[in-house]
Structures are given as C-alpha cells and as structure tokens.
Amino acid sequence: MAEEFKRAPNHFRGRALADGSSPWPVEPGRYRLVASRACPWASRAIIVRRLLGLEDAISLAIVDPIQDERSWRFTLDPGGRDPVLGIHFLSEAYHAAEPDYDGGVSVPALVDVPSGKLVSNDYPQLTLDMSTEWTAYHREGAPELYPEKLRDEIDAVNEVVFRDINNGVYAIGFTRDQAAYDRRFNRLFDRLDELSQRLESRRYLVGDTITEADIRLFVTLVRFDAVYHGHFKCNLLKLTEMPVLWAYTRDLFQTPGFGDTVDFDHIKRHYYVVHDNINPSGIVPAGPDLSGWSTPHGREALGGRPFGDGTPPN
C-alpha cells in the first residue's frame, strides 16, 4: 500500500444486481448512518447530512469514541446496544453482509435497517450520494454542495487535499521511517501554504459558496491543533499560527452545520487513547484552549454566500 492509510482495504459497497441496478434504493427511513464524532471521515457525512436536512430520511447512530478489538461500539446507548439496529458492535453489520468478512471495520457506515446489513463504508462516495441521489429528500433551502458545473474543480481540489492533508496527517503520524516522515511532513505544509494563498482572496475553496471541498478540508483543520500537531508530529505550525487558514476554519466552524457537529472531547479521547502505539500512556492532554473558536474571523469581507441561494439548517 503506497502512502494511503484509509482507503484500502476497507471500501465496501452493496453489490449490483444482475441487471446492474442497485440493491439499495433511495428510500427514506430505510438506512442508518453509523458515525463517530471523533473520526474526520465520518464527520464529513454528519455535516453533509445536517446541511442538506436529511435527518428525517437517514437516521444517525453515534458510536463511542473509544474502540476495542471488537470494533466501534455502541456503549453510549442504554445497554450498550444501538436502539435501532439492535447490535453492540458495528462489526455485526459487516458480518451480516459478509459472514466471512475479515477486513477493517470503519466509519462512516451506512446500514440497511430491515436486514441489519452494511450497505457501504465508501466514505468519499457517501457524501456525494447524499448530494446527488437524495435530492428528493433535501430540506427546503438546502445548499448545493456538489454543483454540477463545479464538479471537475471540486474533484481536483479534493484529490490533492486528500493526498497531502486528509490522509497526509495519518501518513505522517503512523510512519516509522524518518525519510518518509520528512517527505510527507514537507508536502503537508507546502500544501497548507498553497491553500493559504488560495484562500487569502476568496472565502471558499471553489466558487463563492460552501461545497464538498470545504467540508473535506474543514474536518482535518478542525482537528489540527487538538491532535495532529502534537500526536501526529505535524508540528511546524499550529493552525492558530496560520492566519488565513485559522480564520477560514473559524468561519466554517461558526457556520450552522459545522461547529455544532464537532465534539473535541470525542476527538481527543479517540486519538490519544486508541492509538496506544503512539501514546502508550493513554493520557489525554487538557489543551488546547478552545475559546478562540468563537472569536470574529473577518472573512465576510471577502464576499461569498455560505449557502448560496439556500438557507442555513435549523
């Protein structure tokens, strides 16, 4: 596996039927999104679901930020069992779909409620599906997060952000080779510098509204000082020391649908407790100071309309 720590081998999507159609039709109330507020990949789906107003169409289960050898667990729910799916561990949905499955158990996971089977954990595609396949169930005033005329540009931005930033911090944090660490470290901060220049004169990454590209960058930046800077040794600069990106991330954090989905306690406890090969003491740091997230960001001066012709979520 090259320099990716998330994509392989965990992609699992419902198999197409003989006629090429999907066995999992768009059907409100049929599926449950299992997610962790600690996980950046899952947080994308939580944010998109909220921005599009899909809460009534796709129910949400939040797992404990601390995993064990049996996978993500529902210990936040009474009796340690998800009240809708009736399972204790997410792995049960994987094995319901494939009894011999022995791959990774990751979030986000879309589970078919009637059968209890995993439908997909293809995290890059899940949010795009919410934007393009579930339009009949979007709330009134839902924004266009993946507008057709901007998809090529969004896809291009997403690719480099994934490679050098979203996945880049993991590649840095888990490497045991100094040369690889140095190469990935430099690539991360070179990319952050490029994005700072891009965002210096524009409020959002693509176009003048929030898109899928902003959501994918946000979930890494919001975790940067809390975990990636120290825990993953991404310590050239803190987010708070990068003026443009710090203001950009605060702007999104203060936008309905973003900051109200973030749980720094879940984020810190997951990384510092679960990654015992990096942090064997299991001590969760008390910092950083979170008060700065509510301070003015000044990004309104760049123009842009967060939700385009739409409205914020309630």
Side-chain angles (χ1 to χ4, degrees):
M1 182 169 62
E3 295 183 4
E4 294 189 8
F5 287 79
K6 178 65 183 177
R7 281 187 173 172
N10 293 340
H11 274 192
F12 185 110
R13 302 197 73 188
R15 288 12 177 201
L17 298 177
D19 62 0
S21 63
S22 171
W24 310 110
V26 171
E27 185 178 315
R30 178 166 179 172
Y31 307 105
R32 188 154 175 83
L33 175 66
V34 180
S36 166
R37 295 192 189 278
C39 172
W41 321 96
S43 292
R44 299 176 179 182
I46 296 174
I47 293 170
V48 169
R49 172 180 175 271
R50 173 149 162 66
L51 292 178
L52 297 179
L54 289 171
E55 292 96 330
D56 291 337
I58 304 172
S59 67
L60 176 66
I62 298 295
V63 293
D64 193 303
I66 308 301
Q67 302 155 274
D68 62 26
E69 68 280 0
R70 295 165 293 182
S71 81
W72 296 97
R73 54 192 187 174
F74 295 96
T75 45
L76 301 181
D77 295 301
R81 183 191 297 269
D82 180 78
V84 174
L85 299 173
I87 57 177
H88 292 91
F89 300 93
L90 180 56
S91 57
E92 296 174 53
Y94 277 66
H95 292 134
E98 282 192 10
D100 298 327
Y101 181 77
D102 60 358
V105 176
S106 63
V107 287
L110 196 66
V111 180
D112 178 55
V113 174
S115 68
K117 295 179 179 181
L118 174 71
V119 173
S120 176
N121 67 349
D122 189 348
Y123 66 97
Q125 191 61 40
L126 277 175
T127 51
L128 299 183
D129 288 348
M130 288 182 186
S131 284
T132 59
E133 296 185 12
W134 288 79
T135 53
Y137 304 100
H138 289 181
R139 66 178 175 86
E140 185 178 354
E144 280 194 87
L145 300 177
Y146 195 49
E148 191 166 358
K149 65 182 180 180
L150 296 177
R151 287 180 188 176
D152 288 346
E153 186 177 0
I154 292 171
D155 290 345
V157 170
N158 286 347
E159 182 58 33
V160 295
V161 167
F162 170 81
R163 184 188 65 228
D164 297 339
I165 299 177
N166 297 147
N167 197 62
V169 293
Y170 282 84
I172 292 167
F174 287 115
T175 189
R176 298 190 177 187
D177 178 83
Q178 186 67 52
Y181 168 83
D182 292 341
R183 182 174 65 254
R184 295 162 181 169
F185 181 95
N186 290 332
R187 188 161 54 189
L188 167 67
F189 283 96
D190 286 346
R191 185 66 65 192
L192 289 173
D193 186 57
E194 289 176 13
L195 290 174
S196 291
Q197 295 177 43
R198 182 185 181 100
L199 289 165
E200 193 168 11
S201 59
R202 55 193 301 169
R203 191 170 180 185
Y204 303 111
L205 282 171
V206 181
D208 66 348
T209 65
I210 291 167
T211 67
E212 177 84 14
D214 297 294
I215 295 166
R216 295 191 182 196
L217 180 58
F218 171 82
V219 296
T220 295
L221 294 183
V222 79
R223 289 161 172 78
F224 202 88
D225 288 4
V227 289
Y228 301 143
H229 179 272
H231 186 60
F232 279 175
K233 302 180 181 67
C234 301
N235 60 353
L236 180 64
L237 294 168
K238 295 179 180 178
L239 176 66
T240 53
E241 296 168 341
M242 296 181 269
V244 173
L245 292 179
W246 174 221
Y248 165 79
T249 312
R250 293 203 318 280
D251 184 5
L252 292 175
F253 184 86
Q254 294 170 27
T255 300
F258 284 83
D260 49 27
T261 69
V262 174
D263 190 319
F264 284 107
D265 172 65
H266 278 212
I267 290 168
K268 293 198 300 180
R269 284 197 290 126
H270 170 74
Y271 282 89
Y272 287 103
V273 174
V274 172
H275 298 163
D276 54 7
N277 58 329
I278 298 177
N279 185 42
S281 71
I283 293 174
V284 180
D289 179 9
L290 302 177
S291 61
W293 286 102
S294 60
T295 59
H297 50 75
R299 298 279 295 176
E300 305 94 333
L302 296 174
R305 302 169 299 147
F307 300 99
D309 295 327
T311 58
N314 292 328

